[in-house]
Amino acid sequence: MARFSIRFLGCKVSQTDAQAVRERLLADGHMESDRADVAVVNTCCVTHEAVRKSRHAVSRAARTRARDAFSGMPANVRVIARRSEETPELVAGDVGAIGCVQAEARLDRVRAFVKVQDGCSFSCNFCVVPLVRGRSRSRRAAAVLGEIHRRVDQGHREVVLTGINLGCYRDREEGYTLARLLREAGSIPGLARLRLSSIEVNHVNDELVAALRETPTLARHLHVPVQSGDDRVLRAMARRYTSTTYLRRLEALGDFNLTTDVIVGFPAEDEPAFRRTVGLVRAAGITKVHVFPYSPRPGTRTAAEDSVPPAIKKDRGARLRAVSHEACIERWRSKLGTDDVVLVDRPGRGYGDDYSPWLVDAPVGELVRVRAGAVSEEGILAA
C-alpha cells in the first residue's frame, strides 16, 4: 500500500480532475496521507503565475503542460501531459494496485463538483486551454446523472456542474442539451441545490434561461466570463460577442447574482478601453470580478504581444477589484431584513441561494433558514 497526497491548482475543473485521481487511488487500496510516498499535483498553465505556482508545488512535493514548462524538475518527478480522462488510469498504473481495496471514496466537502464536459473548440487568441485540453467533448448524460445520484447518496447537499465550456454540452445520441441536463439533474431526489460553475454568454439563450428559472433547486447565481467590456479588445481577443450582446443576453437574469472574469492589460487595451470594461461591469450588475493580468502563453496567437506595462496592469486590476468589492457590499446590504437558505460548508460560514457569503452559527453540512441582520467585509451576518 502506498501513501499519497493530492493537490490541484487552477479552476474547479482542475479540482474535479484531481478528485478523479484520488478516487482511483483509494479504490486501488492506497491511503491518503500528509506523509506521502506519492504526491500528485494537478497543475495549471493558463497564466504565467499559475505555471509559477505549479512549479513551486511540484518542487515542494518532490522534496516531500507542456513539458518545457516543467523542465528542470527533480528526477523523481514525472510529468503526465495527457487528456484528463486518461490521467487517473496512468497515475494508478504508476502507483500499482493492491489486493485489499477500500470502500468507495467520499468527497471531503459538503459541495460536490461533477464534470460534464472538457476541452474547447473555440480558439480565443490569448487562451492556451484548447492546446492543453483538446477539443470540446461531453460525458454521456446517464453517466453524469448517475454520478450526481451517487454524490447525493454520499450526503452532499449541493452539486456544481463543471466544464471548460459548459454551454457546448451535448449528448446527441440521447438528445441532451445543457438545459435538459440541468432540468433532470435538478429533479434528483435528495439534491438540495444545483449550480453551474460558469457559462459563456453566447450560450445564455432562451432554453437555458427557462431551465434556470423553472428548476427549483438551481441556484440564482451565474458566472459569465466577459474578459473585456471594450469591443475593439474583444475583437482582438477573438471572443465572438460584443459588449452590447453581453448586456442584452443577461437582461433576463437581472435578479441573479452575476459574477465574471476580466483580463486587464491585454495588448489592445488602453485607458479608455479599460474604463469601458468598468462601465460594463456596473451596467450588467456584476457583483464579483475575478481579475487576471494579461499573461502571454506559448502557442497562442498573442504569445509575442505584451505591450501594457506591469505597473499599469497592477493599477487597473486594483481599480477593478475595488469596483467589484463595492458591488458585493451593495448586494449584501440589499438583503438586510430578508430571509435566505444557507448551506453551511465550513465552521461559521456558508453560501446563500445566490452564492452570497454568510456568517452563520450552524453545523457544517446543514441547510439553515436565516435572516440578514448586518453586513461585514466578509459577508452577511445572520441575525
Side-chain angles (χ1 to χ4, degrees), residues 102-299:
Q102 299 180 10
E104 182 181 68
R106 183 189 188 280
L107 275 71
D108 57 358
R109 303 187 182 207
V110 172
R111 183 176 296 107
F113 296 93
V114 174
K115 187 166 72 170
V116 307
Q117 180 273 345
D118 204 342
C120 184
S121 299
F122 302 105
S123 297
C124 296
N125 287 342
F126 59 87
C127 187
V128 74
V129 168
L131 301 178
V132 296
R133 284 192 175 266
R135 297 182 63 80
S136 178
R137 53 202 183 274
S138 302
R139 292 178 67 191
R140 298 300 299 270
V144 172
L145 296 171
E147 182 175 350
I148 296 173
H149 273 286
R150 183 159 56 94
R151 299 307 182 199
V152 171
D153 289 344
Q154 290 174 336
H156 300 287
R157 311 302 299 277
E158 177 178 315
V159 165
V160 182
L161 300 186
T162 69
I164 296 299
N165 198 331
L166 275 174
C168 292
Y169 178 82
R170 295 290 187 279
D171 181 344
R172 289 183 171 81
E173 288 189 29
E174 298 299 327
Y176 276 82
T177 61
L178 180 62
R180 181 183 172 189
L181 185 70
L182 286 176
R183 290 180 184 275
E184 296 201 17
S187 65
I188 289 176
L191 179 63
R193 185 176 292 166
L194 181 68
R195 195 158 52 84
L196 290 176
S197 62
S198 68
I199 189 83
E200 292 292 330
V201 75
N202 290 324
H203 297 133
V204 180
N205 53 29
D206 292 343
E207 181 191 22
L208 181 67
V209 170
L212 291 169
R213 291 208 170 277
E214 296 167 10
T215 307
T217 51
L218 269 163
R220 274 24 183 187
H221 163 255
L222 207 60
H223 186 81
V224 191
V226 64
Q227 308 304 0
S228 175
D230 180 81
D231 289 344
R232 183 172 61 89
V233 174
L234 289 172
R235 285 194 299 272
M237 289 178 168
R239 286 294 288 170
R240 304 181 303 116
Y241 55 82
T242 65
S243 57
T244 301
T245 301
Y246 186 89
L247 291 170
R248 176 173 51 80
R249 285 183 174 253
L250 294 183
E251 283 178 353
L253 299 170
D255 56 327
F256 274 50
N257 184 20
L258 300 174
T259 58
T260 196
D261 296 336
V262 168
I263 296 172
V264 295
F266 191 79
E269 183 187 75
D270 54 16
E271 181 62 21
F274 172 72
R275 291 198 195 109
R276 281 188 277 274
T277 297
V278 173
L280 180 142
V281 166
R282 287 177 167 146
I286 289 167
T287 62
K288 178 69 175 178
V289 183
H290 298 280
V291 182
F292 302 90
Y294 170 70
S295 175
R297 306 310 303 138

Side-chain angles (χ1 to χ4, degrees), residues 30 37 104 132 141 231 259 317 349 360 370:
H30 304 294
D37 305 307
E104 182 181 68
V132 296
D231 289 344
T259 58
R349 295 183 64 88
V360 56
V370 294

Side-chain angles (χ1 to χ4, degrees), residues 332 336-337 358 371-376 379-383:
W332 301 346
L336 290 174
W358 284 74
R371 172 157 291 193
V375 167
S376 75
I380 306 165
L381 282 73

